[in-house]
Amino acid sequence: MSTMTRLIAGLAIAAGLVACSAEGADESAGHDAGRSVADQQAYERSEAGAAGQGVDPDIAPRQVITTASATVEADDPAAAADDLADRATGLGGWVDGRHTWAGEGDASGPPSASLALRIPAEELAVVIEGLADLGRVQEVSQTSEDVTAEVVDLDARIEALRISTDRLREIMAGATESSDLLEAEAALSERQAELESHLSRREYLAGQVEMSTLTVDLVPTAGPAQVDAGGFVGGLATGWNALLSFVSSLLVVAGALVPWVVVVGVPVVVVLLLVRRRRRRRVAAGERAEGPDGGSTDSDSVQG
């Protein structure tokens, strides 16, 4: 009887231990699912901070964005623009923008061209040096922006967000309550949107670092320099220009008077001719009328 009692008591104790163990496991799983999202957010903040401090911007590879601009005088700006575009594409770049102005028959300005080029950063110096082959380089400017710290920070944030999204997916897979699942889904959507934003910014910076931007304005070659108004040569040039201006003004006045001469002058000339013709007829008629009287008067005096 005592042996049977001991056996029953042992079985009861073993069953109780198994039940307690299972209940503890369920409570632990539920507790982890309930607090995992909040704990995950706290973990992400500490993880992002640790990741940001893990890489020193001073020892990381430098990430520099370089932009340059230049103004070049060329005999044919359009042809020079074609040549420069071919050079850029030959080096692995491309034309990001182009504007060509023929300038013929318009008072807006002489022929010109403008190019915006994307060129591999390591080839930028070569292209700038080659601008002298197109004509006289008036001006060149170049600026650089170091974005190493921003790139390091973005890389750290991207890595932390990737780890965070993976853990949130694990939490969603083990969630037992619908509220925990909804909370994890909302947190995951937020992390994914933030991750995509950082990835887009990182890709943009990588493109700017890899490909430099060069803007070139091509203008026509300047004409001969104007003579200074001082001295004998200057006075001679000023007098000659004044004479040309005076002659030009006379031609303008003459051109303006031609219509008036045609409209008014022709009728006046016709009237003058008619008046002159009438006077001649009157004089001729008077001479014929006085001729016989004068003749008879002379004949009488001779007979007397």
Side-chain angles (χ1 to χ4, degrees):
M1 193 67 178
S2 61
T3 302
M4 182 63 68
T5 302
R6 291 193 186 94
L7 180 59
I8 293 173
L11 291 174
I13 293 173
L17 290 175
V18 170
C20 291
S21 177
E23 182 179 359
D26 292 341
E27 290 179 355
S28 176
H31 182 65
D32 289 342
R35 67 182 178 84
S36 55
V37 175
D39 292 346
Q40 177 65 18
Q41 293 175 347
Y43 174 81
E44 288 168 9
R45 289 192 291 269
S46 62
E47 186 74 9
Q53 296 175 355
V55 180
D56 188 356
D58 294 334
I59 62 176
R62 290 194 65 200
Q63 306 290 320
V64 180
I65 299 175
T66 305
T67 58
S69 61
T71 302
V72 181
E73 286 186 3
D75 295 335
D76 188 346
D82 292 337
D83 188 2
L84 188 57
D86 292 340
R87 295 185 187 184
T89 54
L91 293 173
W94 65 84
V95 178
D96 206 28
R98 177 170 181 168
H99 176 74
T100 303
W101 179 252
E104 296 179 356
D106 198 309
S108 299
S112 62
S114 178
L115 287 176
L117 305 173
R118 299 300 302 277
I119 300 171
E122 63 273 12
E123 302 291 348
L124 180 61
V126 176
V127 176
I128 292 178
E129 291 177 0
L131 292 177
D133 299 336
L134 304 176
R136 190 176 74 87
V137 179
Q138 289 184 347
E139 179 185 6
V140 175
S141 63
Q142 181 174 324
T143 59
S144 298
E145 180 184 2
D146 193 333
V147 294
T148 305
E150 183 178 359
V151 170
V152 169
D153 181 67
L154 283 173
D155 289 341
R157 293 178 183 274
I158 289 170
E159 181 64 23
L161 285 170
R162 283 173 173 166
I163 296 173
S164 174
T165 53
D166 291 341
R167 290 183 177 177
L168 285 171
R169 290 189 181 95
E170 293 176 0
I171 292 173
M172 291 173 60
T176 58
E177 299 291 337
S178 60
S179 59
D180 296 335
L181 181 61
L182 292 175
E183 185 178 359
E185 287 179 347
L188 180 60
S189 298
E190 181 181 352
R191 299 299 182 278
Q192 286 178 333
E194 189 176 357
L195 177 60
E196 291 175 359
S197 176
H198 289 332
L199 287 172
S200 177
R201 177 63 179 174
R202 181 65 176 86
E203 183 179 359
Y204 169 78
L205 291 177
Q208 293 295 312
V209 170
E210 182 181 2
M211 304 295 292
S212 299
T213 302
L214 173 62
T215 304
V216 181
D217 293 326
L218 297 162
V219 298
T221 304
Q226 297 294 329
V227 179
D228 189 5
F232 174 77
V233 177
L236 182 61
T238 302
W240 177 255
N241 291 333
L243 177 61
L244 293 178
S245 178
F246 176 73
V247 172
S248 177
S249 300
L250 286 180
L251 293 176
V252 171
V253 173
L257 291 177
V258 166
W260 292 93
V261 171
V262 174
V263 174
V264 178
V266 172
V268 170
V269 171
V270 172
V271 171
L272 291 177
L273 291 176
L274 292 175
V275 171
R276 186 175 180 183
R277 186 176 180 181
R278 285 184 179 182
R279 286 181 179 178
R280 287 181 178 179
R281 288 180 179 180
R282 290 178 181 178
V283 171
E287 289 179 353
R288 287 196 300 268
E290 293 177 356
D293 295 337
S296 60
T297 303
D298 294 340
S299 176
D300 293 342
S301 61
V302 172
Q303 291 178 0

